[in-house]
Amino acid sequence: MAKFTVCVPGLLTTVQDRGRMGYAASGFSPSGVMDRRAFSLGNLLVGNAANAPAIEFAFAGPTLEFENDAVVAITGADFNPRLDEERAPMYQAFVVRAGQRLSMPAAERGVYGYLAIANGGVDVPRVMGSASTNLKCGLGGFEGRRFAFGDVVNYHDTTPNPYYDFGPNHYRNDPFYHFEYLTQEIRVVPGPQSDLFTSRGIDTFYKERYQVSAQTDRMGCRLDGPQIESSRGSDIISDGIALGSIQIPAQGTPIVMLADRQTTGGYAKIATVASVDIPLLVQRATKQYVQFKPVSVIEAQRLLVAERDYYRNVRANARGRLTLEMPCIEPNDHAGEPTMPPVE
């Protein structure tokens, strides 16, 4: 069995896949990756199955020393990855030789990064059908916890498997995420309890922009900004919470529920983030802004189908150089000016 040693664990490094589905009724959150786009492209780059477990890291990533050769790909936020002392590529499959160290220091732009390893990824047991780490329950992933100094982690031997080649930096992250912009538009489907808010409250939600709070985590994205006025308070009888549900608690500012969300909640939900825009939201760093734009359920479904077709096209053409753009980023609207020049 191939393995690597964790020399530096990073701030929040865990094993994740798409999540633990079907157990919400028993109180288990799905967990899973925060940025499904980056996760999916990483597995595509190394030729894995779509749900092969990958390593997710946030804010400051790990340093890993490989005891065996591996074919890997790094996607998501820009962590300025290094292979020994040299810059390692992003959005490109490459080889890590036995004895080399792969490091992902502090994120220069964005929040979450992903390391996919060919031939099936990290070798961890499935718990309730998933390799995802549930930190609160201490289950799944690597011993149910984040990586720590000195951990030795197994991965599937990669030597027999030729890896996919998309060409150097062909799937750069910044054209999709628009890291250089201070404010990112996020599309949402109104409801299910938008009728509990006044017309002024609804106008505030869609016309104002909200800043990502330092209290944001894998459970939810907390936003700071103008209060959203309700008609009779925002408490409701607890009901189920979907990925991207936007709760408005008593203080009147939004919380977008994410991968480690609770399964039920008693705050009214003014809208739900369209699935294709979840990656844009979770890669917003603290002090950056989002602005919500309403779309219909039909439009959100159309975007999701377009994204699915994109991934199918990528996989079908995996050994060639593609020039596809992600369809889910159109229209490309931003409020305000860039905070830094675009990366060339």
Side-chain angles (χ1 to χ4, degrees):
M1 179 65 68
K3 61 185 67 175
F4 61 76
T5 299
V6 178
C7 303
V8 178
L11 288 180
L12 181 60
T13 304
T14 59
V15 176
Q16 302 289 346
D17 57 18
R18 289 184 176 178
R20 187 166 288 106
M21 303 302 172
Y23 294 93
S26 300
F28 291 95
S29 68
S31 300
V33 293
M34 292 284 277
D35 182 346
R36 289 195 179 190
R37 174 191 183 262
F39 169 77
S40 298
L41 286 177
N43 276 329
L44 279 168
L45 283 163
V46 298
N48 279 345
N51 199 34
I55 299 167
E56 178 185 272
F57 40 95
F59 304 107
T63 296
L64 312 174
E65 183 172 307
F66 285 74
E67 296 186 21
N68 308 83
D69 290 354
V71 175
V72 304
I74 302 169
T75 58
D78 185 1
F79 279 80
N80 189 25
R82 313 304 265 194
L83 184 58
D84 289 336
E85 300 303 319
E86 300 295 325
R87 171 81 191 218
M90 290 195 63
Y91 289 82
Q92 179 185 347
F94 63 96
V95 177
V96 180
R97 297 298 180 188
Q100 288 190 300
R101 286 192 175 193
L102 182 62
S103 60
M104 283 70 68
E108 295 183 353
R109 298 194 292 182
V111 177
Y112 290 94
Y114 296 87
L115 176 66
I117 303 176
N119 271 9
V122 182
D123 184 22
V124 294
R126 267 46 173 192
V127 178
M128 294 184 285
S130 173
S132 284
T133 308
N134 184 321
L135 291 171
K136 288 189 175 182
C137 295
L139 57 84
F142 182 78
E143 299 179 357
R145 59 175 174 82
R146 66 185 69 190
F147 284 5
F149 288 99
D151 284 341
V152 177
V153 182
N154 294 331
Y155 60 91
H156 297 282
D157 181 23
T158 61
T159 51
N161 186 29
Y163 59 92
Y164 287 4
D165 180 12
F166 287 87
N169 294 318
H170 196 71
Y171 289 89
R172 291 168 50 196
N173 52 5
D174 40 298
F176 174 81
Y177 295 108
H178 302 286
F179 290 137
E180 71 274 19
Y181 285 93
L182 181 63
T183 303
Q184 174 64 54
E185 180 182 89
I186 302 294
R187 288 167 291 200
V188 300
V189 176
Q193 286 107 25
S194 53
D195 59 316
L196 297 184
F197 300 92
T198 65
S199 57
R200 182 164 63 180
I202 296 293
D203 286 345
T204 299
F205 178 72
Y206 289 116
K207 291 180 179 179
E208 300 292 337
R209 63 178 187 167
Y210 288 86
Q211 190 177 56
V212 176
S213 166
Q215 294 181 299
T216 292
D217 55 21
R218 280 182 48 88
M219 183 175 178
C221 177
R222 293 179 177 270
L223 299 171
D224 295 328
Q227 291 188 345
I228 297 165
E229 184 181 79
S230 63
S231 55
R232 302 182 302 277
S234 60
D235 289 345
I236 61 170
I237 297 174
S238 291
D239 63 1
I241 298 179
L243 178 65
S245 293
I246 304 176
Q247 289 187 325
I248 309 297
Q251 68 266 30
T253 53
I255 304 174
V256 186
M257 308 310 296
L258 299 174
D260 284 349
R261 64 195 180 274
Q262 70 269 28
T263 57
T264 63
Y267 295 129
K269 296 172 285 293
I270 195 170
T272 303
V273 175
S275 297
V276 295
D277 278 1
I278 293 288
L280 297 176
L281 175 70
V282 300
Q283 294 290 8
R284 293 276 95 188
T286 302
K287 303 299 184 182
Q288 289 187 311
Y289 291 86
V290 297
Q291 189 161 17
F292 297 111
K293 175 185 177 180
V295 297
S296 67
V297 172
I298 292 175
E299 175 65 6
Q301 292 173 338
R302 184 193 69 79
L303 293 166
L304 194 60
V305 169
E307 183 182 66
R308 179 203 63 191
D309 293 344
Y310 168 82
Y311 290 135
R312 287 178 177 176
N313 196 4
V314 170
R315 189 175 289 277
N317 295 277
R319 294 184 183 278
R321 290 193 173 194
L322 308 182
T323 57
L324 297 176
E325 296 292 336
M326 284 295 286
C328 59
I329 67 173
E330 299 174 356
N332 176 18
D333 293 332
H334 303 276
E337 295 300 318
T339 56
M340 60 191 77
V343 175
E344 297 295 334

